[in-house]
Amino acid sequence: RLQESRERLSVCSKLCYAVGGAPYQITGCVLGFFLQIYLLDVAQVDAFYASIILFLGRVWDAITDPLVGFFISKTSWTRFGRLMPWIMLSTPFAITSYFLIWFVPGISTGQVMWYLVFYCAFQTLVTCFHVPYSALTMFISREQSERDSATAYRMTVEVLGTVLGTAIQGQIVGKVDTPCIESPFFFDLANSSVAMEELNMTHDTASLTDTRNAYMIAAGVIGGLYLLCAFILVLGVKEKRESSELQSDKPVSYFQGLKLVMNHGPYIKLIAGFLFTSLAFLLLEGNFALFCTYTLGFRNEFQNILLAIMLSATLTIPFWQWFLTRFGKKTAVYVGISSAIPFLIIVVILDSNLFVTYVVAVAAGISVAAAFLLPWSMLPDVIDDFKLQHPRSQGHEAIFFSFYVFFTKFTAGVSLGISTLSLDFAGYQTRGCSQPGQVNFTLKMLVSAVPVGLILLSLPLFKLYPIDEEKRRKNKKALQDLR
């Protein structure tokens, strides 16, 4: 009891730790929801090249996670800790590269390379922030209950961060009308070129410039929030070296540790299950703005619908924290993840209705909250189980977190690249006021049928995950004895 009392974290420490998770979620949410439609309709990048940017950016982002994890494992402890210097040094460069993603350069030939370079640069730098921040969970306390509590604080703030990102980006950009062009198929062939030319001359240039300026203003505000959150994290959290160490710890090389981690059954089963659920929600996230704009016809409402999803997710995080404490984490996975299925089906089979869409958005947010909270709440349990099986191995926390993120991001990059490419094949019209029927059908598949199928595939995998509540309590007691 005395040991547990020493390891307890104050509410202030938990809040400062939680605030550090906001930058990754704010920027990730904005990029996930808005980058695709920005590249297609504002920067006017061809759909084929947009798919390349999204694919390569995500794949590069995935590759950087294990690389950063490797370099962190080789980093020596300093008076600031081993993880905090990474967070401090990466922040200013990440903010700069993020802003340049939302800037339209005055060049035509190198535009694709511009977005690819700065998108990859930002993903690298935000990884240098997020991987050490994720691993920091194991260095704030040795008490499992305290880590779970801090994780709940973190998830609440992170989902609130997605609300802030969605609200800031959506409301600033939503106040400006992005000009669209009627498809030539809706004009008489003899008059189509004349009509399109008139639209370009009267509305195009001024409105598009206003839209681009709005995206840069939003980027500046979000960059300021990024800096503020990093500042609070560094000042308010102390990295404790002894929190992750056991009495019998001896150094093990990175590649030996990687081999041990990848042979750890509970870890593989956990990331396999969350791989499919993460893909489902990332596909929904990446295509939802286009789905609302074109398939549902809510061009001026999609940012408010996104905000409804994120607000619902934020408000239900405490409920899921109570639920997993009361009924166990595996039960929370089954209930939380699968609850999205009926609403994803309803939104595409019913006729376009704004009220129904808002109801579905609020209901889907409840499932999004579970998808946010559960992976980060269950990973520390896997690490504790690993330490019991390999008590002489130390310093591999970053491997666990970075490779979980690696697998998720890599497959997400492939899926988002394919989804954008499929829109190109379906005949997507850049800046079109409406889209062909094949594009609308493709969007329905990407936000409903495919995510539902991925969620259904994940449920049997979670059944194989061996760490239930009884196993978790035994591991906690065994770790205390070993220390």
Side-chain angles (χ1 to χ4, degrees):
R1 288 177 181 175
L2 183 62
Q3 178 64 30
E4 289 181 2
S5 177
R6 290 198 196 104
E7 290 291 331
R8 289 195 179 277
L9 298 171
S10 67
V11 173
C12 181
S13 295
K14 293 177 183 177
L15 285 173
C16 290
Y17 165 75
V19 165
Y24 180 79
Q25 296 299 337
I26 291 174
T27 55
C29 176
V30 172
L31 289 169
F33 279 129
F34 291 91
L35 183 59
Q36 186 184 51
I37 197 169
Y38 167 81
L39 292 174
L40 294 173
D41 289 354
V42 180
Q44 301 182 50
V45 176
D46 182 82
F48 174 76
Y49 293 111
S51 68
I52 292 176
I53 294 170
L54 294 171
F55 167 70
L56 292 180
R58 285 278 188 169
V59 169
W60 175 252
D61 186 22
I63 293 171
T64 58
D65 282 284
L67 288 176
V68 171
F70 170 77
F71 288 119
I72 288 175
S73 70
K74 297 298 182 182
T75 303
S76 301
W77 281 86
T78 68
R79 65 189 184 95
F80 299 106
R82 189 174 66 171
L83 304 174
M84 283 297 185
W86 285 82
I87 294 171
M88 291 186 287
L89 293 175
S90 65
T91 295
F93 300 103
I95 294 171
T96 302
S97 58
Y98 177 80
F99 180 81
L100 292 175
I101 292 174
W102 304 102
F103 176 76
V104 180
I107 54 177
S108 57
T109 55
Q111 191 179 39
V112 173
M113 187 58 64
W114 172 281
Y115 290 115
L116 182 59
V117 167
F118 286 109
Y119 186 35
C120 290
F122 173 73
Q123 299 289 19
T124 302
L125 292 162
V126 80
T127 296
C128 292
F129 181 102
H130 191 249
V131 169
Y133 172 75
S134 299
L136 191 61
T137 308
M138 304 302 296
F139 292 86
I140 56 176
S141 175
R142 285 188 293 194
E143 277 301 309
Q144 191 180 72
S145 59
E146 290 300 296
R147 295 201 305 258
D148 284 347
S149 176
T151 299
Y153 275 81
R154 170 190 166 187
M155 291 301 106
T156 303
V157 173
E158 286 192 357
V159 179
L160 182 61
T162 64
V163 173
L164 279 174
T166 305
I168 292 169
Q169 187 83 9
Q171 298 306 312
I172 293 177
V173 172
K175 292 183 180 297
V176 181
D177 292 327
T178 303
C180 63
I181 299 174
E182 290 290 351
S183 172
F185 297 108
F186 296 99
F187 290 101
D188 180 81
L189 289 176
N191 298 325
S192 62
S193 61
V194 176
M196 291 179 68
E197 185 177 354
E198 288 177 356
L199 277 171
N200 288 337
M201 291 175 62
T202 54
H203 304 292
D204 195 21
T205 305
S207 299
L208 198 56
T209 300
D210 292 341
T211 303
R212 291 172 176 176
N213 290 337
Y215 272 95
M216 285 191 289
I217 292 171
V221 175
I222 289 172
L225 281 175
Y226 191 121
L227 182 62
L228 177 63
C229 293
F231 186 73
I232 292 172
L233 172 66
V234 171
L235 289 184
V237 177
K238 181 181 179 182
E239 184 180 347
K240 301 175 183 178
R241 184 174 187 173
E242 67 276 6
S243 292
S244 68
E245 292 180 341
L246 302 176
Q247 292 178 355
S248 57
D249 280 343
K250 291 184 179 179
V252 176
S253 74
Y254 177 84
F255 292 104
Q256 286 177 312
L258 178 59
K259 183 178 179 180
L260 291 173
V261 168
M262 290 305 160
N263 287 327
H264 191 57
Y267 180 64
I268 298 301
K269 292 167 184 174
L270 183 69
I271 62 174
F274 278 114
L275 183 65
F276 288 107
T277 59
S278 299
L279 279 176
F281 287 104
L282 284 170
L283 275 175
L284 178 64
E285 178 186 70
N287 295 281
F288 195 74
L290 291 173
F291 176 74
C292 289
T293 300
Y294 295 113
T295 305
L296 298 181
F298 304 138
R299 177 177 289 273
N300 297 321
E301 283 289 331
F302 80 86
Q303 67 271 11
N304 296 323
I305 297 170
L306 297 180
L307 188 58
I309 295 175
M310 294 299 107
L311 278 173
S312 173
T314 302
L315 295 175
T316 50
I317 281 284
F319 165 76
W320 287 118
Q321 176 62 19
W322 169 83
F323 190 96
L324 67 85
T325 303
R326 177 68 177 81
F327 299 101
K329 296 179 183 180
K330 288 185 70 171
T331 304
V333 168
Y334 297 136
V335 176
I337 302 299
S338 60
S339 64
I341 293 176
F343 301 105
L344 292 177
I345 296 173
I346 288 172
V347 78
V348 297
I349 62 175
L350 295 181
D351 292 333
S352 178
N353 182 289
L354 187 59
F355 176 76
V356 172
T357 303
Y358 272 108
V359 171
V360 170
V362 171
I366 298 172
S367 188
V368 170
F372 264 87
L373 174 65
L374 291 167
W376 302 110
S377 180
M378 296 168 79
L379 269 173
D381 299 339
V382 173
I383 297 174
D384 286 343
D385 186 74
F386 175 85
K387 286 185 175 182
L388 284 175
Q389 295 187 29
H390 307 281
R392 297 184 179 278
S393 182
Q394 67 162 328
H396 304 309
E397 293 83 2
I399 298 177
F400 278 96
F401 286 97
S402 62
F403 270 90
Y404 165 71
V405 178
F406 165 77
F407 289 120
T408 303
K409 288 179 178 178
F410 183 83
T411 50
V414 174
S415 63
L416 288 174
I418 292 174
S419 68
T420 308
L421 196 60
S422 65
L423 292 175
D424 185 37
F425 290 149
Y428 182 85
Q429 303 292 319
T430 301
R431 292 177 53 224
C433 294
S434 59
Q435 297 293 337
Q438 296 93 324
V439 173
N440 290 325
F441 175 78
T442 302
L443 287 170
K444 287 182 179 180
M445 296 294 292
L446 292 173
V447 301
S448 179
V450 177
V452 167
L454 290 169
I455 290 173
L456 291 174
L457 285 173
S458 71
L459 296 179
L461 293 171
F462 287 122
K463 182 69 176 176
L464 300 174
Y465 177 67
I467 303 178
D468 54 16
E469 290 307 297
E470 182 180 358
K471 175 73 169 175
R472 199 162 69 93
R473 285 191 291 268
K474 289 181 178 178
N475 285 351
K476 177 183 177 180
K477 178 65 169 61
L479 275 176
Q480 288 174 341
D481 294 342
L482 188 57
R483 289 192 176 106

